[in-house]
C-alpha cells in the first residue's frame, strides 16, 4: 500500500534536489490528509531554519494544539535537534523516518519524551542522501551545523 | 553597563507587542556585534516556526558553523523545545535569558548538552509577559502548543 505521507516527503526531497537544494522532504499528515508539505530551503531561500520538517509545519499554517496531537510527521531523514524540538513543542505524537543511516538526529530524545518513531529504511532516500553528501559536503555540514 | 544584545531583544519584544503580536524578542550576537535580531511572528506572518529566537537566527542569514560557535543568543523568554533545538543544532554555546518566570523552556536539556545559561530576571520582560498571558491566553497557549 502506498503511504501518501512518505511519498509526498520523497517527492519534496526530489524537488529540492532538482532546485540545487538539500534533498530532504517532509509532510505533516492529520486524519489521513496532508496539511503541509515542505523541503529543506537553505539554498532556495537562504534559510537557516527551514529544514524540511520546519517547512512542512510552516506550510501547514497556524493550527490549534489539538490538531498537532493527532498528527504524524513524515521526513526523509532522521530529524535533527531543531526539528525534533519543533515536534516536541507541538506534541506531534508520531514521526515516520524514511531513513536514519546517513544521519541520525535526536531520536533518543524523541523516544524519551514519548514520541513514536517508525524507521522505514527507504533505499531511495539513502541513495539520494549518500550521493548528495559525497557531492556537496560543504552544504551538508553547513546544514547540520558541523564545521 | 548596557548589554546591547539584551536591549535589542527587549526592543524586539516591544515591537511585537505594538504589532499585536506575542511580545518575545531575541538577538544573535557574535564578537560583540548583533548579526540578527527578531521577534515572535505568529500573528504578523501567520508563522508556526518563527519564534523570536528562530526569527533572529533566520534574519542572521546563512552562517558558517564556526560563527555560531562564537555566538551568544539573547532571548526575552526561556527558550522552548524548538528554539532550544535550534541552539543545539548550531552549537550556540551561550544563551542569555531575560526571564524564565512566566515560562520555563528546555533549560535542563541545554545545560545537559553543555550550553551556558545566564538568567537575568528582567522585571520589564516579566511584567510584559504576565500581562500578555493574562490578556491573550488563546494566543499564548497556541504558541507553546498547549491546548
Amino acid at each position: 500500500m502506498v503511504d501518501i505521507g512518505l511519498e509526498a516527503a520523497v517527492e519534496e526531497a526530489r524537488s529540492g534536489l532538482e532546485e540545487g537544494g538539500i534533498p530532504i522532504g517532509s509532510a505533516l499528515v492529520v486524519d489521513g490528509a496532508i496539511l503541509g508539505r515542505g523541503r529543506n530551503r537553505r539554498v532556495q531561500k537562504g534559510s537557516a531554519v527551514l529544514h524540511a520538517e520546519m517547512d512542512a509545519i510552516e506550510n501547514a499554517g497556524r493550527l490549534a494544539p489539538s490538531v498537532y496531537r493527532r498528527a504524524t510527521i513524515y521526513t526523509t531523514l532522521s530529524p535533527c535537534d531543531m526539528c525534533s524540538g519543533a515536534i516536541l513543542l507541538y506534541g506531534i505524537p508520531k514521526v515516520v523516518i524514511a531513513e536514519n543511516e546517513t544521519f541520525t538526529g535526536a531520536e533518543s530524545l524523541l523516544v524519551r519524551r514519548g514520541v513514536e518513531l517508525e524507521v522505514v529504511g527507504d533505499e531511495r532516500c539513502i541513495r539520494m542522501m549518500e550521493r548528495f553528501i559525497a557531492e556537496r559536503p560543504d552544504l551538508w555540514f553547513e546544514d547540520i551545523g558541523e564545521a
Side-chain angles (χ1 to χ4, degrees), chain A:
Chain A
M1 203 179 86
V2 171
D3 185 320
I4 61 159
L6 181 63
E7 292 311 307
V10 174
E11 281 171 17
E12 288 288 328
R14 287 175 170 160
S15 296
L17 190 65
E18 284 166 16
E19 291 165 344
I22 300 170
I24 305 171
S26 178
L28 184 72
V29 174
V30 179
D31 304 335
I34 295 173
L35 293 199
R37 42 194 290 171
R39 52 187 181 267
N40 186 297
R41 303 285 188 176
R42 179 171 297 275
V43 171
Q44 298 92 324
K45 293 190 175 177
S47 177
V49 306
L50 291 176
H51 277 189
E53 300 91 323
M54 308 297 287
D55 195 45
I57 290 170
E58 185 73 334
N59 290 335
R62 286 173 57 181
L63 301 172
S66 59
V67 176
Y68 294 109
R69 299 279 197 273
R70 305 195 305 274
T72 295
I73 192 162
Y74 290 77
T75 175
T76 58
L77 185 64
S78 180
C80 80
D81 284 311
M82 173 175 68
C83 297
S84 297
I87 289 162
L88 292 171
L89 167 65
Y90 288 120
I92 297 172
K94 184 171 179 181
V95 186
V96 178
I97 300 167
E99 67 106 349
N100 62 2
E101 291 190 19
T102 64
F103 173 80
T104 305
E107 293 184 11
S108 62
L109 174 66
L110 289 170
V111 168
R112 217 158 55 225
R113 295 275 299 271
V115 178
E116 181 188 353
L117 304 186
E118 181 184 328
V119 179
V120 177
D122 190 298
E123 292 289 342
R124 300 169 297 178
C125 295
I126 295 170
R127 283 194 301 270
M128 189 157 42
M129 277 308 291
E130 279 179 345
R131 184 168 172 176
F132 173 75
I133 293 169
E135 290 179 352
R136 295 301 309 271
D138 54 329
L139 259 182
W140 170 241
F141 288 111
E142 181 190 322
D143 200 56
I144 55 168
E146 291 183 12

